[in-house]
Amino acid sequence: MKGLWKYISPFAPDQSGATAVLCEMGGLIVIIDAGGCAGNICGFDEPRWFEKKSAIFSAGLRDMDAILGRDDRLVKKVQMVCEKIDGEFVALVGTPVPAVIGTDYKALQRMIEVKTGIPALPLDTNGVRFYDSGSEKAWLSLFQTFAGQSIGMEPGTMGIIGATPFDVGLEGFDFDSQKVWCYGMGAGIEEVKKASTVMKNLVVAPSGLKAARYLAKRFGTPYEVGFPLEQIKGYDSFIENVKKDLSGEDAPKKILIVHQQVLAHSLRQELRRHTNAPIVAANWFMMDKELREPWDVPLSEEDQWVELVMEGGYDLIIGDPLLQKAIPDYKGRYYSLPHFAVSGKYLAFEE
């Protein structure tokens, strides 16, 4: 039945994705809500909230504020906070309430910038789309606002775009080099300002593609799309086990990978070194045409997932463990690869 989800929990929404991008950027993040959405972000969707400092505020909208569109009160609150806390920017992150009442984000941006003298990032998320949509808006807005004029590229440098706990896990990447800037997870707003100096960008999630293309057009910065699989906990033992599966007498005839598109595609390319079996990628999130193959499956319902698995003839599936709950009758091999946006579990290969 369309819209009926019996086993799979709700995925992280777009306001959480936007906040994840901005969490380590040193700005003031204002969730335009009555308190509930900000509570969900800090309590569930943003694991760094318990370990690192980040200025995330709720607008504290009351019923009459929403009904009457009292934007001046929100601007006053922001102005008061800016007088006490230094921030590089003010991010205005939307939720269902401002979406319903038709909040004018551009007007709020102008009012806040006039009152505070600080750049404002209007992000018209609405709580209905998934996390990657909000992340995409935040990445693009950051680089459009802060990436300065090119002053020449620095040899050996690389930027990583798209990294948030939703897609790469809480630990992020460890390249052991000061010349690798992982924006949003280790590299902050100062590195964003110098984005024009990197030799190339690596896009590790679909949400970072639009920003990478913007930087390529503006500064000529080339980009690659791929996920460093060796950075995932347990990868070495996983790939050894899978290679045994792929070469044995019961080698799978068809493989399904369910994860964010860049990781799924990178894993597919690695597995193709060891098998000729068809490998299909599927998910409920962004599927950019640059990486999408003709047989890949964009999902929108839980029933689609069940039908895909039970009728697709897949012998081996790699995906979040939560998704197994919806397919109790599946008899094939299932390797666990958590996707934080789906189950809240951290990225690590498990059999």
Side-chain angles (χ1 to χ4, degrees):
M1 180 184 297
K2 185 175 182 180
L4 177 63
W5 296 63
K6 298 182 292 183
Y7 302 100
I8 303 175
S9 302
F11 303 143
D14 55 357
Q15 67 257 24
S16 296
T19 304
V21 172
L22 303 172
C23 184
E24 297 184 25
M25 290 293 176
L28 308 178
I29 304 170
V30 181
I31 314 299
I32 307 178
D33 72 332
C37 294
N40 284 335
I41 291 170
C42 297
F44 300 99
D45 288 343
E46 183 44 74
R48 293 168 292 181
W49 174 255
F50 300 99
E51 300 179 357
K52 298 180 180 180
K53 292 183 178 180
S54 186
I56 302 176
F57 298 90
S58 167
L61 293 175
R62 302 279 70 87
D63 290 349
M64 293 308 294
D65 294 336
I67 293 170
L68 299 176
R70 293 168 172 167
D71 292 341
D72 57 321
R73 296 194 177 187
L74 174 58
V75 174
K76 187 175 181 179
K77 288 180 182 179
V78 171
Q79 187 177 7
M80 292 172 62
V81 172
C82 289
E83 291 172 355
K84 297 180 179 180
I85 301 177
D86 292 329
E88 292 282 347
F89 58 86
V90 176
L92 304 169
V93 180
T95 67
V97 171
V100 169
I101 65 175
T103 295
D104 187 338
Y105 286 89
K106 290 294 184 181
L108 273 177
Q109 177 189 15
R110 290 192 295 270
M111 292 166 68
I112 288 172
E113 289 179 343
V114 168
K115 292 290 186 179
T116 66
I118 298 174
L121 308 182
L123 304 174
D124 59 342
T125 50
N126 61 14
V128 176
R129 293 183 288 268
F130 292 142
Y131 80 100
D132 50 347
S133 173
S135 294
E136 181 181 65
K137 291 175 184 291
W139 287 122
L140 183 60
S141 183
L142 264 179
F143 288 107
Q144 286 178 331
T145 304
F146 292 107
Q149 294 298 319
S150 178
I151 55 176
M153 293 183 177
E154 184 179 344
T157 53
M158 181 176 72
I160 298 178
I161 305 177
T164 71
F166 288 124
D167 286 318
V168 307
L170 181 58
E171 296 179 358
F173 302 119
D174 181 14
F175 285 98
D176 194 27
S177 172
Q178 293 183 347
K179 291 191 174 184
V180 178
W181 298 341
C182 186
Y183 300 114
M185 294 191 76
I189 198 68
E190 292 305 316
E191 286 75 19
V192 171
K193 292 177 181 178
K194 297 183 290 184
S196 63
T197 66
V198 301
M199 292 294 292
K200 71 174 181 179
N201 287 312
L202 175 66
V203 181
V204 297
S207 61
L209 277 168
K210 187 173 285 188
R213 288 166 180 157
Y214 166 78
L215 293 172
K217 183 177 181 180
R218 181 176 176 188
F219 302 119
T221 311
Y223 68 89
E224 297 178 4
V225 182
F227 197 100
L229 299 172
E230 69 281 356
Q231 296 272 344
I232 304 176
K233 184 179 179 180
Y235 174 72
D236 290 339
S237 59
F238 160 81
I239 200 65
E240 288 303 317
N241 289 333
V242 170
K243 282 194 289 186
K244 292 177 182 178
D245 284 345
L246 298 178
S247 60
E249 293 181 0
D250 298 326
K253 298 179 177 62
K254 199 173 182 182
I255 301 170
L256 177 64
I257 303 174
V258 190
H259 213 282
Q260 59 103 332
Q261 190 187 23
V262 174
L263 192 159
H265 188 65
S266 296
L267 183 55
R268 169 163 54 194
Q269 290 177 312
E270 174 61 27
L271 295 184
R272 279 180 173 158
R273 296 172 55 196
H274 311 286
T275 181
N276 292 321
I279 305 175
V280 175
N283 68 49
W284 285 265
F285 309 110
M286 290 180 178
M287 298 193 80
D288 190 272
K289 63 181 181 180
E290 185 174 321
L291 300 180
R292 183 174 173 179
E293 296 186 355
W295 44 82
D296 288 345
V297 182
L299 299 168
S300 59
E301 300 288 341
E302 182 181 285
D303 286 348
Q304 283 181 285
W305 161 245
V306 176
E307 181 180 347
L308 174 66
V309 172
M310 301 313 296
E311 298 181 8
Y314 299 101
D315 308 285
L316 189 151
I317 298 176
I318 303 170
D320 193 282
L322 177 67
L323 303 178
Q324 281 186 277
K325 293 184 177 181
I327 50 171
D329 297 328
Y330 174 67
K331 304 301 182 184
R333 192 74 177 272
Y334 196 105
Y335 277 90
S336 172
L337 180 59
H339 189 176
F340 190 81
V342 173
S343 66
K345 296 184 181 295
Y346 294 136
L347 186 66
F349 282 107
E350 297 177 6
E351 187 175 344

